[in-house]
Amino acid sequence: MIRADHITVSAGSKKLLDDVAVDFQPGKINLIIGPNGAGKSTLIKVLAKQLRPHSGKVFYGNRDIQDVSIPQLAKVRAVLSQNVELAFPLTVKEVVMMGRYPHMDMRPSKIDHDAVREAMQFFDVTEMTDRNYMSLSGGEKQRVHFARVVSQILAANPDEPRYLLLDEPLTFLDVFYQFQFMRKMQELLSGNNLVLVGVVHDLNLAARFASQVALLHQGKLVNCGSPEEVLTKENIKNVYQVEPIVLHMSNVLHVSF
Amino acid sequence: MHRLSDRMVFILLACALAITFLLSVRFGAIIISYDDIFSALQKGTSSPSLTLTERIFFDIRLPRAVACVVVGASLAISGVLMQALFRNPIVEPGLIGTSSGAAFGAAFYFVLGSALKFHVSEWTLPAAAFAGGMISTVLVFLLSQNKSSGKSSVTTLLLTGIAVNALCLSGVGLFSYLARDPQARSITFWNLGALSGANWASVSVMGISTIICFLWALRYTRQLNALMMGEEEALFLGVDIRRLKIIIVCINVALVALATAFVGVISFVGLVVPHLLRLTRGSDNRFLLVGSALLGGILLSWADLVARLTLAPAELPIGIVTSLVGVPVFVFLLRRNQYYF
């Protein structure tokens, strides 16, 4: 479990996050939603130990992450950022292998090679193994980074806790790959002791795939719970200031504006 | 993308380096035959029966050939490190003020050294240059620290480097202006680099420090690879960015300030060598570091051969040769437009 325990982050006099308290359970798809500037990315940064909150604590299981060193944390926690710029010629395999760096001593071991192979197969990038990363399309690059991030937290023993944070992972993907990615995440969650927290913009994607939705607005947690509980007409109208139509079709919630 | 394996590239480069080294020992104002080399090696350095040619082999040619390899390697290694640190494939080791600071230190010595009674030993000039290089780099690093967070962004580091470089070079200009004629000539030649002064003492100091720096840097190649994706991503992969920056800057100072202190400013080697390797096989820093050490030694040896043979028995400053070759290569690389900025 990841616990954000009353997190406050300020920039000058503005509070980017204001006393946000929320738990993220393993085995579920936990998504954070909210309008631009709501504090979604800031929360992910705090959870990743990239940003230190002005007050409040973050716990992975029962360990305060301030007590865990950066290299130790990297062995159990992976982060996928909005956009990764890489302007050097490297092969796809070399990029994915970076995910194993926290586990290596001097050279990649058999475990590292196996993890890379498994992650590449999982995201269908195996046939690009030796291609130059810089020659790939935006969507292909994104899938390479999925593979890199997942290879980082593949555990030999599926009971070991792992943490995966996603900051708008679906930005450069078309609908097909968005759905495929979310299904892959469900598949990953089913066999592992994994806490997954992601930021998405698309409310329908959240409604379809999330087990828990956390709605942020102006740095405050408005509501947290199942999509049915959180994605109500009132909530959406208050936060996004657009009048929505909320429908239930074939057991899935749909939001349209 | 891979045409050759790492090991094949290293073997080819090592063979080329061996051949280059042999040529570098043999050719110069005097040509040394294989017979001379063999008999000299049989007699040993301290034998009283050494001929003049054999003495030249031991005391002049051999240390100079080794110096070419060592200086070329250290400049190329620091080129790799700086390019990785700045996440920019077109960056030179002198960027953070090291070589211009060394030039300032040397100019200071040439002009004011005698007035301040600095003429102590053959080590005074290298010491002055090394101190200059070190002080200016520390200055760049301290000035680029963000006051509130204590962090230093790579962009600030780069811009501060440009500013301090300009400051040091104007200092060199001022000294050249104040200098009497022979001093001004010394400053000019020093800024163009020369390997003619290489002796066993300076070569062993440089050699040992280069080997230590190389092995030290080799431990950080994976962290530097992670840094190619940016500081955030490297942090997520468990890299302590602040510590890494300090270590890389230290290694760079040790390499560049020391090489510059003994042989003067030699440009373009640190830029071009890693780049040529990127073209063959990609940007993995482990490969680049080992490959650059070998290729840097090869290229600088060839540049020095050209410098000492074109006007023999006189010599061209080696900085002229490296720039004449380096600039067209640099422009060619830019125009290939393989990189985004």
Side-chain angles (χ1 to χ4, degrees), chain A residues 220-233:
Chain A
K220 290 198 174 84
L221 184 68
V222 176
N223 202 347
C224 182
S226 70
E228 284 76 16
E229 289 167 333
V230 176
L231 294 172
T232 59
K233 211 170 169 178

Side-chain angles (χ1 to χ4, degrees), chain A residues 50 81 85 89 101 105-106, chain B residues 87 222 225 232-233 236 283:
Chain A
Q50 187 191 351
S81 311
E85 281 175 37
Y101 284 176
D105 197 27
M106 273 309 270
Chain B
R87 298 180 60 209
R222 270 202 319 274
N225 280 352
E232 272 188 11
E233 299 305 313
F236 297 148
S283 281

Side-chain angles (χ1 to χ4, degrees), chain B residues 153-320:
Chain B
S153 96
V154 162
T155 321
T156 328
L157 199 62
L158 177 79
L159 293 173
T160 319
I162 291 172
V164 171
N165 271 336
L167 186 71
C168 288
L169 291 180
S170 71
V172 173
L174 180 68
F175 279 126
S176 311
Y177 177 74
L178 295 173
R180 280 176 283 113
D181 243 9
Q183 296 170 340
R185 272 182 75 81
S186 301
I187 295 175
T188 309
F189 281 128
W190 196 86
N191 277 318
L192 291 168
L195 285 142
S196 47
N199 56 45
W200 282 118
S202 63
V203 165
S204 25
V205 172
M206 283 193 290
I208 291 167
S209 111
T210 305
I211 289 170
I212 292 172
C213 288
F214 173 73
L215 294 176
W216 199 16
L218 216 47
R219 299 185 46 178
Y220 295 96
T221 49
R222 270 202 319 274
Q223 301 199 359
L224 289 170
N225 280 352
L227 198 60
M228 285 194 271
M229 292 194 296
E231 296 189 22
E232 272 188 11
E233 299 305 313
L235 181 79
F236 297 148
L237 289 172
V239 178
D240 186 341
I241 306 287
R242 195 178 145 70
R243 189 163 161 266
L244 180 67
K245 268 185 208 162
I246 292 172
I247 289 169
I248 295 305
V249 169
C250 287
I251 297 177
N252 192 59
V253 171
L255 288 169
V256 179
L258 208 60
T260 315
F262 284 111
V263 303
V265 180
I266 297 178
S267 51
F268 281 102
V269 176
L271 171 77
V272 168
V273 170
H275 232 313
L276 291 173
L277 288 165
R278 279 181 214 284
L279 294 178
T280 66
R281 168 57 189 76
S283 281
D284 174 44
N285 279 302
R286 194 184 169 80
F287 165 77
L288 285 182
L289 209 65
V290 180
S292 293
L294 296 166
L295 188 60
I298 296 170
L299 287 194
L300 201 69
S301 299
W302 278 103
D304 190 49
L305 271 170
V306 173
R308 66 177 109 127
L309 289 175
T310 34
L311 296 179
E315 286 194 14
L316 267 177
I318 193 168
I320 294 179

Side-chain angles (χ1 to χ4, degrees), chain B:
Chain B
M1 188 162 115
H2 296 184
R3 277 159 276 179
L4 292 168
S5 73
D6 285 6
R7 188 168 298 170
M8 272 309 288
V9 175
F10 294 158
I11 291 171
L12 287 176
L13 285 173
C15 293
L17 182 63
I19 295 166
T20 305
F21 185 78
L22 201 61
L23 294 175
S24 169
V25 168
R26 284 197 59 206
F27 293 98
I30 295 173
I31 295 173
I32 300 176
S33 68
Y34 291 117
D35 292 342
D36 289 326
I37 295 176
F38 275 122
S39 73
L41 288 176
Q42 273 169 355
K43 289 177 193 168
T45 42
S46 50
S47 161
S49 63
L50 285 175
T51 64
L52 178 65
T53 318
E54 288 163 354
R55 279 246 159 271
I56 290 175
F57 167 74
F58 272 132
D59 297 341
I60 297 175
R61 209 52 77 61
L62 206 51
R64 182 168 184 165
V66 177
C68 286
V69 174
V70 169
V71 171
S74 48
L75 292 176
I77 293 168
S78 57
V80 174
L81 296 179
M82 285 293 102
Q83 292 176 0
L85 183 63
F86 286 99
R87 298 180 60 209
N88 188 330
I90 305 199
V91 157
E92 255 226 307
L95 200 74
I96 50 170
T98 318
S99 36
S100 63
F104 179 79
F108 182 89
Y109 163 81
F110 284 128
V111 177
L112 297 178
S114 54
L116 298 172
K117 308 239 182 308
F118 265 3
H119 274 294
V120 193
S121 73
E122 55 178 321
W123 297 96
T124 323
L125 170 60
F130 185 78
M134 197 132 107
I135 291 168
S136 64
T137 312
V138 171
L139 189 68
V140 168
F141 205 72
L142 290 181
L143 285 177
S144 66
Q145 302 272 318
N146 184 315
K147 252 191 210 157
S148 55
S149 65
K151 287 180 185 164
S152 117
S153 96
V154 162
T155 321
T156 328
L157 199 62
L158 177 79
L159 293 173
T160 319
I162 291 172
V164 171
N165 271 336
L167 186 71
C168 288
L169 291 180
S170 71
V172 173
L174 180 68
F175 279 126
S176 311
Y177 177 74
L178 295 173
R180 280 176 283 113
D181 243 9
Q183 296 170 340
R185 272 182 75 81
S186 301
I187 295 175
T188 309
F189 281 128
W190 196 86
N191 277 318
L192 291 168
L195 285 142
S196 47
N199 56 45
W200 282 118
S202 63
V203 165
S204 25
V205 172
M206 283 193 290
I208 291 167
S209 111
T210 305
I211 289 170
I212 292 172
C213 288
F214 173 73
L215 294 176
W216 199 16
L218 216 47
R219 299 185 46 178
Y220 295 96
T221 49
R222 270 202 319 274
Q223 301 199 359
L224 289 170
N225 280 352
L227 198 60
M228 285 194 271
M229 292 194 296
E231 296 189 22
E232 272 188 11
E233 299 305 313
L235 181 79
F236 297 148
L237 289 172
V239 178
D240 186 341
I241 306 287
R242 195 178 145 70
R243 189 163 161 266
L244 180 67
K245 268 185 208 162
I246 292 172
I247 289 169
I248 295 305
V249 169
C250 287
I251 297 177
N252 192 59
V253 171
L255 288 169
V256 179
L258 208 60
T260 315
F262 284 111
V263 303
V265 180
I266 297 178
S267 51
F268 281 102
V269 176
L271 171 77
V272 168
V273 170
H275 232 313
L276 291 173
L277 288 165
R278 279 181 214 284
L279 294 178
T280 66
R281 168 57 189 76
S283 281
D284 174 44
N285 279 302
R286 194 184 169 80
F287 165 77
L288 285 182
L289 209 65
V290 180
S292 293
L294 296 166
L295 188 60
I298 296 170
L299 287 194
L300 201 69
S301 299
W302 278 103
D304 190 49
L305 271 170
V306 173
R308 66 177 109 127
L309 289 175
T310 34
L311 296 179
E315 286 194 14
L316 267 177
I318 193 168
I320 294 179
V321 180
T322 55
S323 299
L324 275 180
V325 179
V327 172
V329 174
F330 180 67
V331 172
F332 168 75
L333 290 172
L334 275 181
R335 293 188 62 85
R336 272 178 59 107
N337 200 16
Q338 237 204 335
Y339 301 102
Y340 313 105
F341 294 101

Side-chain angles (χ1 to χ4, degrees), chain A residues 78-121:
Chain A
V79 186
L80 186 66
S81 311
Q82 284 184 25
N83 55 342
V84 179
E85 281 175 37
L86 179 56
F88 289 87
L90 286 171
T91 63
V92 167
K93 181 164 186 188
E94 283 171 331
V95 176
V96 178
M97 187 57 91
M98 286 184 183
R100 299 302 299 174
Y101 284 176
H103 307 275
M104 280 182 215
D105 197 27
M106 273 309 270
R107 286 174 169 279
S109 68
K110 189 175 173 299
I111 297 170
D112 298 318
H113 283 293
D114 289 347
V116 165
R117 195 178 316 116
E118 198 182 325
M120 288 176 78
Q121 269 164 9

Side-chain angles (χ1 to χ4, degrees), chain A residues 125-167:
Chain A
V125 292
T126 310
E127 71 276 20
M128 303 178 202
T129 305
D130 288 322
R131 276 181 66 189
N132 183 348
Y133 170 84
M134 281 164 59
S135 71
L136 305 181
S137 74
E140 288 172 329
K141 284 180 180 170
Q142 191 73 345
R143 278 154 58 208
V144 171
H145 289 299
F146 292 161
R148 169 175 65 81
V149 166
V150 166
S151 85
Q152 187 181 343
I153 51 166
L154 277 181
N157 175 359
D159 290 337
E160 290 172 48
R162 290 292 189 269
Y163 308 90
L164 179 56
L165 307 173
L166 310 165
D167 192 358

